[in-house]
Amino acid sequence: MDVRIGVIGTGIMGADHVRTLATSVRCAQVVAVCDLDQERARAAVAGLGDIRIAEKPTDVVAAEDVDAVVVASHDDTHEELVLACLDAGKPVLCEKPLTPTPDGSLRIVAAESALGRRLVSVGFMRRYDPGYVAVKNALRQGAVDAPLMFHCVHRNAHARPNLPSSALISGSAIHEIDVARWLFEEEITRVTVHRSRPSGRVVGDTSDPLLLVMETASGVLVDVEVFVNAQYGYDVRAELVGESGTLSVDDPEAVVLRTARARSTRVFQDWRDRFADAYRLELQDWVAGVAAGEQRGATAWDGYAAAAVAQAGVQALETGTPSRVHLEPRPRLYQRLTDQD
Ligand SMILES: NC(=O)c1ccc[n+]([C@@H]2O[C@H](COP(=O)([O-])OP(=O)(O)OC[C@H]3O[C@@H](n4cnc5c(N)ncnc54)[C@H](O)[C@@H]3O)[C@@H](O)[C@H]2O)c1
């Protein structure tokens, strides 16, 4: 039987998830969607068959024909909606960040722990990207021996005017924070943030780009260049340096064009092209998990830990000094550091 899904928030990301679920994920059926902007909800389901447009998010959560919920509305709505799903006993895939600050995520962790079973998955889709998965497998197999450093680049073409500088950390670099925890299977303990001279292309007063330097518990250094007005496209890359070699994640294989004495490949426009496979694989695994009664992918604890690192990063940005990451003790429900293991 298909897993019947309700999607809350049908903006850029939610509409993409609705289309992927409806067209490319086995045993999934989108039965209801909801957005504060009804026009956006209508546009998201156009041409995808019989999908109900609910008036309120709580209608989606409560609906008898909804087995599981995707939350892709704005960050500050996640806590309330995820808690409502827990109340209703329904599995939920919540887009990243789980909540804008760690205290909200901690309330979700507490509610889920009280329930005694994991229902929350967080949309850290890079855990499903074939490139990152290959790096993790190679690392585990000892291809480069022990890890020492992880150099990351995270560039977007354009950001909205006056984007708060903190959003470069809590909205963008949070992906690298999660990937580092997942790859190295340990926590990040300290964050330092450096500002370059701001790019003249920035509209407003966003401090862009930033350079984050994070340290893991065992002493691996993770640096992330976050540059959200890079102009030329969406570009995410990483190189892991080990004791005997390196492992790189670059763009997925693309056609190489040779013409007029030049060789070129395309640069992606945004995350939806670059991580299309990852989103599809994430949704497929989540649906399979719901059908099997298992939580898959990043847990609420992962969402909490990433938010705590991001908060330390924002503090480091504001103070100009290194900031320690504070984590509450991990409840028994989340014994393993990551759920992929
Ligand atoms: N995993 C990723 O790579 C990735 C990429 C982009 C965005 N995101 C996350 O996805 C979420 C959505 O981002 P987006 O870029 O699609 O934003 P968006 O602004 O395009 O869409 C958000 C939509 O949510 C709707 N909404 C807000 N509050 C609502 C509520 N209470 N009930 C119903 N609908 C509500 C808005 O009307 C809007 O249409 C954010 O949490 C964002 O951080 C994740």
Side-chain angles (χ1 to χ4, degrees):
M1 241 179 51
D2 283 353
V3 173
R4 299 165 303 172
I5 298 160
V7 178
I8 300 173
T10 52
I12 295 172
M13 204 65 251
D16 201 61
H17 287 332
V18 169
R19 192 181 41 77
T20 305
L21 283 165
T23 61
S24 314
V25 172
R26 287 181 304 280
C27 301
Q29 194 191 346
V30 181
V31 294
V33 302
C34 166
D35 196 292
L36 293 181
D37 180 342
Q38 293 259 324
E39 202 42 57
R40 269 190 129 172
R42 270 193 289 276
V45 301
L48 295 176
D50 191 15
I51 301 176
R52 187 170 74 247
I53 297 178
E55 238 175 63
K56 303 192 297 287
T58 43
D59 296 344
V60 173
V61 176
E64 278 197 7
D65 65 349
V66 168
D67 303 315
V69 177
V70 172
V71 172
S73 45
H74 296 147
D75 300 354
D76 59 2
T77 63
H78 292 181
E79 180 182 348
E80 188 186 342
L81 295 171
V82 170
L83 288 174
C85 291
L86 287 177
D87 259 356
K90 293 193 180 177
V92 53
L93 172 63
C94 179
E95 259 310 334
K96 53 57 54 178
L98 179 56
T99 59
T101 57
D103 46 344
S105 295
L106 204 53
R107 286 190 283 274
I108 291 173
V109 162
E112 200 176 35
S113 296
L115 205 61
R117 63 193 172 116
R118 297 200 307 222
L119 291 175
V120 179
S121 300
V122 183
F124 284 127
M125 79 296 177
R126 289 195 197 175
R127 293 173 177 228
Y128 291 92
D129 177 74
Y132 285 96
V133 170
V135 166
K136 179 152 181 172
N137 289 340
L139 181 65
R140 274 180 166 177
Q141 286 155 14
V144 296
D145 294 332
L148 302 170
M149 292 197 184
F150 190 42
H151 306 297
C152 308
V153 168
H154 185 145
R155 299 188 190 129
N156 294 57
H158 305 284
R160 68 173 164 82
N162 291 311
L163 181 76
S165 306
S166 59
L168 273 68
I169 300 170
S170 55
S172 298
I174 196 143
H175 280 295
E176 277 77 14
I177 292 169
D178 179 67
V179 160
R181 293 183 63 256
W182 168 77
L183 264 182
F184 303 124
E185 299 177 9
E186 58 176 339
E187 296 296 357
I188 293 166
T189 54
R190 211 161 82 121
V191 189
T192 312
V193 179
H194 303 271
R195 303 169 194 250
S196 81
R197 174 179 72 74
S199 161
R201 303 293 188 109
V202 172
V203 182
D205 58 6
T206 312
S207 189
D208 186 29
L210 296 178
L211 183 72
L212 278 66
V213 181
M214 304 187 277
E215 294 158 50
T216 71
S218 75
V220 178
L221 280 187
V222 179
D223 60 273
V224 188
E225 175 207 305
V226 201
F227 188 13
V228 296
N229 288 279
Q231 308 295 313
Y232 69 91
Y234 181 75
D235 194 7
V236 165
R237 283 179 270 144
E239 184 182 29
L240 186 159
V241 181
E243 290 181 3
S244 64
T246 78
L247 294 160
S248 297
V249 188
D250 209 322
D251 289 350
E253 224 171 293
V255 171
V256 177
L257 170 68
R258 289 180 174 84
T259 183
R261 303 172 66 82
R263 195 174 65 166
S264 61
T265 57
R266 74 174 173 144
V267 173
F268 291 99
Q269 185 176 334
D270 68 28
W271 50 93
R272 286 171 297 175
D273 316 316
R274 166 62 182 87
F275 287 107
D277 280 347
Y279 293 124
R280 181 177 49 75
L281 293 166
E282 169 188 69
L283 289 165
Q284 184 65 75
D285 193 43
W286 177 66
V287 166
V290 171
E294 290 167 16
Q295 187 273 343
R296 306 264 178 94
T299 64
W301 175 261
D302 295 320
Y304 162 66
V309 176
Q311 186 182 58
V314 171
Q315 195 184 349
L317 173 71
E318 283 163 2
T319 60
T321 57
S323 177
R324 284 222 148 264
V325 178
H326 172 75
L327 284 182
E328 294 296 326
R330 181 145 35 115
R332 288 204 17 214
L333 190 62
Y334 313 96
Q335 274 165 6
R336 289 167 297 176
L337 184 61
T338 70
D339 203 53
Q340 298 295 95
D341 308 319

